[in-house]
C-alpha cells in the first residue's frame, strides 16, 4: 500500500550540475519525481519531492545542448536536509573540468555524507570516484565510459551490464534514459510500486526496467540492421508476446 505521505518529511532531491552537463541526465529523473508528486495529487500543494538544482558557481549553467538552467550555489546546501543528491554526467571535456573544480571537490564529500542517499547519472560517477567516494563500491555507468572509468579508478567495481546499481546509500545509473529507470526505482522504494507504475505510464515508457537488465537491447540492435531478414520478425515477436505463436501467421521478410 502507498505510504501515508502526510506523515513523511519532505524529500529534497538535488541535482549537481556544471557547464556542459547532459540535460537528459537531469531532466529525465526530475520528471519522474515531479510525476510522483502529480500521482499523489500534490499539484499546487507542498510536494513530497522538492527538486533543486545546484552548481559550483550558482546562476545559469549551460548544458551540452546549449539550454541553460538556473542553479543555486553548492554552499547554500550546507546544513540543509538532503534526501537524494545526484551528480549528472557529461562528455569527456566538461566532465574532466568538473572533476578538477575546487569548489565541487570541497563541497561533495560533506554533502554526500549528509544526504539520505547519493549517487550519479551516467558518467557523473567519475566525479565521485575522483574524490575517493566510490572506493570498494559497485557502480554503473554508461557503457562507453566503463573502460576508462575502471582504468582511472581501479578501486571501484564498475558493472558494465547493469542499468543501475544500488549499494547501500549509493545509487548509480548507466546514463541518459537509465536515470529514469533509477528514479522510478527510488519512487517505488519511497512510496510504492503502484505510484512508480503510474508515473511510468504517464511518461509513456515502454517498460519499467530492472537494474540488472543489460544496457544492450537486442531489439535495438536488430532494428539498426535494416537489411536483416529477421528485423521484421523481432518486431512481430515484441508485439505478439501475449499470443500463441503457432496459431498466428508469421511475418515475411520484404522482397
Amino acid at each position: 500500500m502507498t505510504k501515508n505521505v502526510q506523515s513523511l518529511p519532505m524529500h529534497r532531491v538535488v541535482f549537481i550540475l556544471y557547464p556542459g552537463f547532459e540535460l537528459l541526465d537531469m531532466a529525465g529523473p526530475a520528471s519522474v519525481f515531479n510525476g510522483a508528486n502529480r500521482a499523489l495529487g500534490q499539484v499546487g500543494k507542498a510536494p513530497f519531492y522538492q527538486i533543486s538544482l545546484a552548481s559550483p558557481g550558482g546562476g545559469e549553467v549551460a548544458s551540452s545542448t546549449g539550454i541553460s538552467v538556473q542553479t543555486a550555489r553548492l554552499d547554500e546546501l550546507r546544513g540543509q536536509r538532503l534526501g537524494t543528491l545526484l551528480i549528472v554526467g557529461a562528455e569527456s571535456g566538461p566532465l574532466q573540468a568538473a572533476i578538477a573544480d575546487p569548489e565541487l571537490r570541497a563541497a561533495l564529500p560533506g554533502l554526500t555524507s549528509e544526504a539520505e542517499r547519493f549517487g550519479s547519472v551516467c558518467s557523473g560517477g567519475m566525479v565521485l570516484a575522483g574524490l575517493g567516494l566510490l572506493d570498494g563500491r559497485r557502480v554503473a555507468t554508461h557503457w562507453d565510459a566503463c573502460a576508462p572509468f575502471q582504468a582511472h579508478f581501479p578501486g571501484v567495481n564498475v558493472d558494465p551490464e547493469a542499468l543501475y546499481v544500488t549499494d547501500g546509500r549509493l545509487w548509480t545509473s548507466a546514463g541518459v534514459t537509465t536515470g529514469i529507470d533509477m528514479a522510478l526505482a527510488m519512487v517505488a522504494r519511497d512510496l510504492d510500486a503502484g505510484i512508480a507504475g503510474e508515473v511510468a505510464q504517464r511518461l509513456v515508457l515502454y517498460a519499467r526496467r530492472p537494474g540488472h537488465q543489460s544496457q544492450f537491447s537486442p531489439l535495438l540492435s536488430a532494428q539498426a540492421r535494416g537489411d536483416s531478414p529477421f528485423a521484421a520478425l523481432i518486431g512481430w515477436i515484441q508485439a505478439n508476446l501475449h499470443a500463441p505463436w503457432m496459431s498466428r501467421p508469421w511475418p515475411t521478410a520484404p522482397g
Side-chain angles (χ1 to χ4, degrees):
M1 296 179 62
T2 304
K3 297 176 183 177
N4 181 5
V5 179
Q6 301 302 323
S7 67
L8 297 175
M10 176 271 295
H11 188 102
R12 188 170 187 184
V13 180
V14 180
F15 292 93
I16 307 297
L17 311 180
Y18 46 87
F21 73 95
E22 169 56 52
L23 183 63
L24 191 55
D25 284 357
M26 177 275 291
S31 293
V32 169
F33 295 120
N34 183 62
N37 289 335
R38 177 186 292 273
L40 291 168
Q42 294 182 318
V43 176
K45 302 178 183 179
F48 173 65
Y49 289 113
Q50 183 184 67
I51 301 167
S52 302
L53 309 178
S55 67
E60 281 196 3
V61 178
S63 70
S64 59
T65 67
I67 297 174
S68 296
V69 297
Q70 191 68 27
T71 66
R73 288 184 62 95
L74 280 178
D75 56 16
E76 295 176 17
L77 298 176
R78 292 183 180 136
Q80 297 190 26
R81 183 185 179 93
L82 302 178
T84 300
L85 185 80
L86 295 174
I87 184 160
V88 303
E91 295 295 336
S92 178
L95 184 65
Q96 290 180 27
I99 293 173
D101 187 285
E103 187 173 345
L104 204 56
R105 296 184 65 85
L108 275 182
L111 293 175
T112 57
S113 67
E114 295 169 4
E116 294 176 27
R117 65 186 169 216
F118 72 98
S120 60
V121 182
C122 197
S123 56
M126 288 192 182
V127 180
L128 298 173
L131 294 171
L133 299 175
L134 302 185
D135 288 349
R137 310 295 287 271
R138 176 171 162 260
V139 304
T141 192
H142 191 283
W143 59 266
D144 197 36
C146 287
F149 197 134
Q150 194 69 83
H152 282 88
F153 306 106
V156 182
N157 180 12
V158 180
D159 188 332
E161 291 291 326
L163 295 184
Y164 61 88
V165 169
T166 59
D167 184 349
R169 293 190 305 119
L170 175 66
W171 292 63
T172 54
S173 76
V176 198
T177 62
T178 64
I180 294 175
D181 297 298
M182 183 173 72
L184 285 168
M186 290 178 175
V187 169
R189 178 170 295 188
D190 296 340
L191 302 170
D192 75 2
I195 294 293
E198 185 175 337
V199 174
Q201 188 173 35
R202 179 169 286 275
L203 292 178
V204 200
L205 297 181
Y206 184 74
R208 281 176 55 206
R209 300 180 295 180
H212 58 75
Q213 183 171 319
S214 173
Q215 295 188 40
F216 297 96
S217 165
L219 176 60
L220 192 60
S221 297
Q223 289 175 334
R225 297 191 299 272
D227 58 345
S228 168
F230 296 105
L233 176 60
I234 295 294
W236 181 90
I237 291 173
Q238 288 286 123
N240 290 275
L241 291 174
H242 64 286
W245 293 357
M246 298 307 294
S247 65
R248 299 176 65 86
W250 286 41
T252 57

